[in-house]
């Protein structure tokens, strides 16, 4: 197993290996507890490797300005990025909530509470299996309001998927099919070609967390906004900031 781990670490990052080992540890635990294996101790119990902390991939302020400009102005977009209001709503959701791709495609119309100005993330679709609410910012509100309106005039009900390109696009072949993560990733590929740099939903998430954690006092805010169940995950977004450290040392 150690030899296999060494081979795998030549192909995968430590974080990927630890994920494999975590799943294998659970499987072996089940096998041992139910006497399906001859092992007395789980060989994957202490089989993790130390993960080096890499700099999170985030957007610069200039890149965010370019992305915003695609929809704030009458910028030409190719036919794969239409209707414009639908694509803009997707980008604004990731820009101002930091939610995951899987959370967006699983959103239902009834999950948008415009009166309370919150997005409700069901425990069944959340990564940590906890119910989660995300506040709707002033910048995001008009986009979600239009999104809900457009779906309702198309006779969609509360339990229908909110972001469904197949319902609003003229190029769709099946209006009864839900939008998939693959379609969402395809949207980001086309946007990336237009702006000339990589655009992804998770990079918005990293950007929000990194900006907030420039002030460690925002620890609770960041944790709640991103729906982290473990503070260690939130703390991983604190980056080395020499100016902040210098100002603190100067006060000693």
């Amino acid at each position: 197993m150690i030899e296999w781990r060494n081979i795998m670490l030549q192909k995968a990052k430590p974080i990927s290996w630890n994920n494999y080992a975590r799943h294998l540890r659970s499987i072996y635990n089940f096998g041992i507890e139910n006497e399906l294996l001859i092992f007395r101790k789980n060989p994957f119990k202490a089989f993790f490797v130390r993960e080096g902390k890499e700099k999170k991939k985030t957007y610069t302020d200039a890149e965010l300005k370019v992305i915003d400009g695609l929809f704030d102005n009458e910028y030409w977009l190719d036919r794969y990025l239409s209707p414009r209001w639908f694509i803009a709503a997707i980008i604004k959701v990731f820009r101002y909530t930091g939610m995951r791709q899987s959370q967006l495609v699983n959103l239902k119309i009834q999950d948008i509470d415009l009166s309370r100005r919150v997005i409700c993330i069901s425990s069944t679709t959340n990564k940590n299996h906890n119910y989660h609410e995300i506040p709707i910012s002033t910048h995001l509100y008009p986009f979600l309001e239009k999104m809900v309106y457009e779906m309702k005039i198309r006779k969609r009900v509360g339990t229908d998927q909110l972001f469904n390109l197949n319902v609003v696009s003229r190029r769709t072949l099946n209006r009864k099919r839900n939008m998939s993560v693959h379609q969402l990733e395809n949207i980001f590929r086309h946007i990336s070609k237009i702006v000339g740099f990589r655009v992804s939903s998770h990079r918005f998430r990293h950007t929000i967390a990194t900006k907030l954690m420039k002030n460690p006092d925002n620890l609770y805010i960041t944790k709640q906004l991103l729906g982290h169940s473990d503070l260690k995950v939130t703390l991983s977004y604190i980056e080395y900031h020499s100016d902040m450290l210098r100002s603190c040392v100067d006060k000693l």
Side-chain angles (χ1 to χ4, degrees), residues 115-133:
S115 61
R116 294 176 54 229
R117 300 177 75 93
V118 295
I119 302 172
C120 306
I121 306 295
S122 169
S123 59
T124 57
T125 61
N126 208 7
K127 188 176 180 180
N128 59 19
H129 308 294
N130 293 328
Y131 173 76
H132 178 47
E133 289 188 352

Side-chain angles (χ1 to χ4, degrees), residues 5 47 63 81 100 127 130-131 144 174 198 209 249:
R5 182 179 69 180
F47 223 55
E63 288 173 337
L81 299 176
R100 299 181 175 90
K127 188 176 180 180
N130 293 328
Y131 173 76
L144 285 180
N174 188 352
R198 175 71 186 278
V249 173

Side-chain angles (χ1 to χ4, degrees), residues 148-164:
V148 171
Y149 169 76
E150 292 288 346
M151 285 297 166
K152 286 184 176 179
I153 64 174
R154 288 170 171 79
K155 309 299 182 183
R156 312 302 287 183
V157 298
T159 55
D160 286 331
Q161 187 182 38
L162 176 66
F163 287 95
N164 192 339

Side-chain angles (χ1 to χ4, degrees), residues 97-98 100 132 205 208-209 221-228 237:
T97 69
R100 299 181 175 90
H132 178 47
R205 185 175 177 85
I208 288 173
I221 294 172
T222 309
K223 177 182 178 297
Q224 293 303 110
L225 179 62
L226 299 187
H228 292 154
Y237 286 95

